[in-house]
Amino acid sequence: MTAFAQPPEPLALYGPDFAADPQSHYWRLREHGPLAPVRLAPGIDALLVTDYQAAVDLLRDTHTFTKDPRAWQATVPEDSPVLPMLGYRRTALFSDGDVHARYRGAINDSLALIEPHALRAEVTRVAGRLIGEFAATGSADLIAQYARRLPLHVLAICFGVEPGDGERIVNGVAGMFNSAENAAVAYADLVEVVTALVADRRACPRRDLTSYLLGHPANLDDDETVRQITLIMSAGHDPTTNLIGNALLHMLTDARYAGSLHGGAMTAHEAINEVLWQDPPLANFAAHYPRHDTEFHGVRLRAGQLLLVSYAAANTQSVPGLSDPGVRSGASAHLAWSAGPHRCPAKQPALLIAMTAIEQLTSQLCDAELDVPVSGLKWRPGPFHRALVRLPVRFTPVDLTTETDRHDAAEGASDGPSEVSISP
């Protein structure tokens, strides 16, 4: 067994230093082997898997490891800021076996109702409206004014969220990922919004995913329905926002994309794929816990110990040395969507939203460029995500007002609930 040096103390994955340069932290962690001790918040430690093969093995091993965090959670203060992300709830994320299959089936069947062609058309429509709001000004923050608002719109129309509750959803999800002092309050507000939504749909079903989940053969009770929806929202909003933002930043700063922001689908596809490999929006997650004391890739583990997978570190590990070189062949072999039975079920709609959002922006504002030096960009602190605070750009002002826009305005077009992307 290879002997690795042990770090003097767990490496902190929170605060501005980690947010500014996570790859240098991953490089330091790799010096200590395939798993290394990290600190997620004050007093909350874990082992982070930074090795690609070890990550794949962990994600696929349902016999040695469980997703149920309750044994670990009993050792954590109830007000810990990481519990909104890691604390037990009755969802597919925190379950195994038949329970997981029941929840996962309801989620998969619900997401299957989102028709791709209708989703693309809806994202194109709202992208055009959002771009039109700032196109004539010559400058914008592409996070606040664009990347954050697009996924929110999709969630609202799919689940039937009232327009006035949209900002509460955004703040609730962002607070969870930030894992700051207000994380528990943010998550509680998100649950409150969804609980009211579920109660309304239980009494008066509509043509949306909330109503479908309530009527699904899995026979979810109200709390189970609330928890699956908050899971989908947290997984669907913040990571998609960050995927759009990180890919746009990649295109704005990588010399290979210079002068080709109007390149269309292939350029957007390449940027997204490179970001998923190099700078995934969900950087560290996939909590697992040994069912019993064991050894994993040469590291002794105790039952109930918290392990996280670093998708970002595993993806950027060099290929030589992998026990199965073929496992990384092909552009889709990155771990940004996780792997194994808990692989992200929303990959296709998330990719479609991000791709369409980038295509629309780059085709209409093809001379956009950063309005600050790259060194002036700030990243949101937090152990789980890779997320820009702002993405300020400047461009040639353009009037994108069309007859369709004027018609939409006359008809009162808004971010309100819609049924266009949900099949019968």
Side-chain angles (χ1 to χ4, degrees), residues 165-198:
D165 289 330
E167 196 64 26
R168 294 174 67 188
I169 291 174
V170 171
N171 291 338
V173 172
M176 292 171 60
F177 279 88
N178 291 344
S179 294
E181 292 181 357
N182 67 338
V185 174
Y187 177 69
D189 195 50
L190 172 63
V191 171
E192 183 177 307
V193 171
V194 178
T195 299
L197 174 65
V198 168

Side-chain angles (χ1 to χ4, degrees), residues 274-341:
E274 289 183 349
V275 162
L276 290 171
W277 269 109
Q278 302 168 13
D279 218 10
L282 187 59
N284 307 299
F285 203 49
H288 286 73
Y289 310 86
R291 297 179 185 273
H292 47 75
D293 293 350
T294 188
E295 182 173 305
F296 180 73
H297 280 256
V299 178
R300 294 297 303 175
L301 305 176
R302 65 181 184 276
Q305 186 172 7
L306 171 60
L307 279 72
L308 294 180
V309 172
S310 178
Y311 306 129
N315 282 352
T316 53
Q317 181 193 38
S318 59
V319 175
L322 293 180
S323 61
D324 180 9
V327 78
R328 278 188 68 170
S329 62
S332 63
H334 59 71
L335 297 178
W337 305 108
S338 193

Side-chain angles (χ1 to χ4, degrees), residues 75-318:
T75 69
V76 176
E78 293 182 359
D79 61 351
S80 172
V82 302
L83 287 183
M85 287 290 286
L86 300 178
Y88 176 76
R89 293 179 288 279
R90 298 163 72 198
T91 73
L93 183 61
F94 302 109
S95 58
D96 306 297
D98 292 343
V99 176
H100 172 255
R102 174 171 168 258
Y103 291 149
R104 179 77 178 216
I107 291 173
N108 287 347
D109 292 346
S110 299
L111 294 176
L113 295 177
I114 303 175
E115 299 176 347
H117 71 281
L119 179 59
R120 179 182 289 278
E122 182 65 15
V123 174
T124 298
R125 187 190 72 81
V126 73
R129 183 176 59 77
L130 293 176
I131 296 167
E133 291 179 1
F134 55 76
T137 69
S139 65
D141 172 9
L142 295 183
I143 300 299
Q145 295 176 261
Y146 192 65
R148 186 172 295 138
R149 295 177 66 186
L150 264 171
L152 172 61
H153 175 84
V154 173
L155 289 172
I157 64 170
C158 289
F159 287 98
V161 176
E162 294 299 326
D165 289 330
E167 196 64 26
R168 294 174 67 188
I169 291 174
V170 171
N171 291 338
V173 172
M176 292 171 60
F177 279 88
N178 291 344
S179 294
E181 292 181 357
N182 67 338
V185 174
Y187 177 69
D189 195 50
L190 172 63
V191 171
E192 183 177 307
V193 171
V194 178
T195 299
L197 174 65
V198 168
D200 180 80
R201 294 303 188 271
R202 179 72 80 180
C204 185
R206 299 185 191 175
R207 189 166 172 261
D208 55 35
L209 295 189
T210 300
S211 302
Y212 181 80
L213 275 169
L214 286 167
H216 190 272
N219 195 28
L220 304 179
D221 63 30
D222 284 3
D223 180 71
E224 289 176 315
T225 306
V226 167
R227 302 302 174 175
Q228 308 321 307
I229 293 174
T230 57
L231 172 62
I232 297 170
M233 286 183 171
S234 59
H237 184 271
D238 209 65
T240 305
T241 291
N242 301 333
L243 178 57
I244 295 169
N246 295 358
L248 285 170
L249 174 62
H250 189 60
M251 296 176 71
L252 290 164
T253 56
D254 191 314
R256 293 172 301 156
Y257 293 94
S260 64
L261 285 183
H262 60 285
M266 182 56 69
T267 298
H269 180 270
E270 290 173 347
I272 287 172
N273 192 60
E274 289 183 349
V275 162
L276 290 171
W277 269 109
Q278 302 168 13
D279 218 10
L282 187 59
N284 307 299
F285 203 49
H288 286 73
Y289 310 86
R291 297 179 185 273
H292 47 75
D293 293 350
T294 188
E295 182 173 305
F296 180 73
H297 280 256
V299 178
R300 294 297 303 175
L301 305 176
R302 65 181 184 276
Q305 186 172 7
L306 171 60
L307 279 72
L308 294 180
V309 172
S310 178
Y311 306 129
N315 282 352
T316 53
Q317 181 193 38
S318 59

